[in-house]
Amino acid sequence: MHTTHPLDANDPLAAKRAAFSLPDDVIYLDGNSLGVLPAHVPARMQEVVANEWGQSLIRGWNEHNWIDLPQRVGNRIARLVGAAPGTVVACDSTTINVFKVVSAALNLRPDRKVILSDSGNFPTDLYVAGGLAELLDQGHELRVVAPEDVEAAVTDELAVLMLTQVDYKTGRRHDMKALTEKAHAAGALVMWDLAHSAGAFPVDLAGANADFAVGCGYKYLNGGPGAPAFLYVAPEHKNHVRPPMTGWMGHEAPFAFDLDYKPASGVDRMRVGTPPVLSLSALDAALDVFDDVDMGDIRKKSVSLCELFIKEVEARCPDLKLVSPRNEAVRGSQVSFRFKEGYALMQALIANGVIGDFRAPDTVRFGFTPLYISHADVMGAVEKLETILADRLWDRDEFKKRQKVT
Ligand SMILES: *Cc1c(COP(=O)(O)O)cnc(C)c1O
């Protein structure tokens, strides 16, 4: 299926594809939802399970330094998102981290009651913020505006501006630096969700002066299904925030078994319970693929892949309407189109070896992950898409039956 394309000729990332274990008959445009398995991870997991767990048993916590995995993995992610060492920890899920971080942020602005977010945010972030406001029962309000209205909605009522940088559905990307500045000028704190940013393009949390961030381990970071997530606390806050979940792994000295809680110094206080060693080890190993990669190269290729895809689809599939921004500067690493029978179309594509996904009610979404996707893949995917639309191959009952996960 993979022929050649001239734009792949001088690709500095071309050799990276061999670092991944991809089925031969698949063009995978869904690394924004679940990243691909790096080829060396199974052997590493075999080692962790059979030797570290199997042989070391409880001694593994010290012998293999399992106990420090959250910081170790956190520091590796920190490099990818422009954060200083010691400000990122890998733990829990993105959803749980949103809860912890928004709660800690609200606590730093006790006289303010508004959490501002936008309707392009991923629902779980909104559910959590709304649920937290209810739980606190102190009159907090979750205010949700359209993405393009966020800037104008920043007022001095805000405690926290809570945004996802890249819209999961459309790929629209917020200006992190400008919005953070605006919120700070209004006296608010800012939390960025980097679920569709980390590993997808250069992120500069420190440069943007962000207060908090969270992100996902199983999307562009390739940590595997349900991989641990991460969170970031800026240096100026990390010794002041009050964690909402005062678990023993966030204690200053967990193994003192003190009956009184004292928060650990730094970002470690945001940890809660025992780290999931197996999944953290998989994420840790998966991050190796980024070790010798320049995020600038990733961005450059990502833009080139997305531009080619948009151009070809618009020329060859007139029934699809572009949902993503046309301007690359305000787009992440994904491209979405609208089609009335989007679900069936995506099912037909998947049956033909092109894997993307569908977001209700009518959006087909394609993620472009430059570490393992080539311009030849883009052309291969468009070819299938064109045939399926032209021949109405999607118009079959079997492609219209909704499964649990879309
Ligand atoms: C993928 C994603 C999540 C997922 O959260 P989980 O806790 O891993 O289920 C949360 N927020 C955003 C913005 C996402 O894109």
Side-chain angles (χ1 to χ4, degrees):
M1 197 179 272
H2 311 292
T3 48
T4 57
H5 190 279
L7 286 173
D8 291 325
N10 296 308
D11 174 11
L13 300 173
K16 272 289 164 188
R17 189 189 181 99
F20 291 88
S21 196
L22 264 164
D24 282 337
D25 52 354
V26 155
I27 296 177
Y28 193 70
L29 304 182
D30 213 5
N32 53 320
S33 216
L34 176 64
V36 166
L37 172 68
H40 67 290
V41 167
R44 174 66 188 137
M45 289 312 286
Q46 174 66 21
E47 161 72 18
V48 172
V49 172
N51 289 334
E52 294 194 6
W53 175 17
Q55 299 301 312
S56 295
L57 293 166
I58 193 78
R59 294 168 293 190
W61 288 104
N62 293 314
E63 282 176 9
H64 303 292
N65 210 6
W66 291 341
I67 196 69
D68 292 332
L69 265 170
Q71 294 106 308
R72 225 162 48 235
V73 174
N75 282 332
R76 298 185 77 181
I77 296 170
R79 193 182 72 80
L80 301 178
V81 295
T87 58
V88 175
V89 68
C91 59
D92 303 311
S93 66
T94 308
T95 304
I96 290 173
N97 287 336
V98 169
F99 180 91
K100 294 189 303 187
V101 161
V102 174
S103 166
L106 289 177
N107 199 254
L108 292 174
R109 290 288 179 277
D111 50 335
R112 294 180 175 213
K113 300 294 175 201
V114 177
I115 306 165
L116 178 67
S117 192
D118 71 44
S119 53
N121 208 339
F122 193 75
T124 200
D125 297 45
L126 301 176
Y127 301 160
V128 163
L132 176 62
E134 229 170 83
L135 178 72
L136 289 173
D137 200 17
Q138 293 165 17
H140 288 95
E141 171 201 348
L142 170 64
R143 195 172 288 171
V144 179
V145 300
E148 59 276 18
D149 297 335
V150 169
E151 200 185 335
V154 173
T155 65
D156 59 10
E157 286 174 285
L158 293 198
V160 183
L161 174 60
M162 175 190 86
L163 294 172
T164 294
Q165 188 185 16
V166 176
D167 185 318
Y168 74 105
K169 234 191 231 184
T170 66
R172 187 264 315 123
R173 176 159 74 149
H174 275 309
D175 185 335
M176 178 183 288
K177 194 163 197 285
L179 286 173
T180 303
E181 233 168 72
K182 174 104 192 186
H184 283 171
L189 296 165
V190 186
M191 183 203 92
W192 288 99
D193 188 329
L194 304 177
H196 296 278
S197 310
F201 50 77
V203 175
D204 189 4
L205 284 173
N209 219 358
D211 300 289
F212 300 94
V214 299
C216 187
Y218 54 79
K219 291 171 178 159
Y220 293 90
L221 299 181
N222 310 309
F230 66 90
L231 67 83
Y232 164 81
V233 182
E236 67 267 36
H237 302 307
K238 69 179 192 178
N239 290 315
H240 306 296
V241 289
R242 212 183 70 187
M245 297 267 295
T246 45
W248 73 309
M249 283 293 152
H251 193 277
E252 161 190 88
F255 288 88
F257 297 106
D258 197 337
L259 293 184
D260 296 319
Y261 175 80
K262 280 195 209 79
S265 73
V267 71
D268 279 342
R269 66 179 55 191
M270 297 299 279
R271 291 174 54 188
V272 178
T274 302
V277 172
L278 300 184
S279 36
L280 270 172
S281 297
L283 175 57
D284 187 26
L287 289 169
D288 290 355
V289 298
F290 284 97
D291 279 350
D292 55 354
V293 164
D294 178 345
M295 289 306 296
D297 285 341
I298 291 194
R299 176 61 184 170
K300 225 168 115 189
K301 185 173 169 191
S302 154
V303 169
S304 176
L305 294 169
C306 292
E307 294 282 297
L308 179 66
F309 187 70
I310 293 172
K311 184 179 97 181
E312 292 292 325
V313 170
E314 291 198 317
R316 293 157 68 175
C317 311
D319 293 340
L320 298 191
K321 271 203 88 63
L322 183 67
V323 178
S324 301
R326 209 167 277 284
N327 175 5
E328 65 182 58
V330 291
R331 196 173 63 219
S333 199
Q334 65 169 71
V335 176
S336 303
F337 287 93
R338 195 162 283 144
F339 181 64
K340 195 162 159 290
E341 291 284 349
Y343 184 80
L345 173 62
M346 185 49 72
Q347 291 304 306
L349 263 175
I350 293 170
N352 281 278
V354 178
I355 302 183
D357 59 21
F358 167 80
R359 289 295 174 259
D362 58 2
T363 300
V364 286
R365 186 174 76 150
F366 304 89
F368 294 88
T369 43
L371 293 178
Y372 48 84
I373 293 298
S374 65
H375 295 84
D377 291 328
V378 169
M379 296 305 286
V382 176
E383 226 154 86
K384 295 273 189 202
L385 195 52
E386 184 181 21
T387 309
I388 288 167
L389 285 163
D391 300 345
R392 290 183 66 91
L393 298 181
W394 53 266
D395 196 4
R396 282 160 53 172
D397 287 346
E398 64 183 283
F399 295 140
K400 295 179 185 172
K401 216 179 95 212
R402 297 277 171 118
Q403 292 181 291
K404 257 195 194 164
V405 176
T406 63

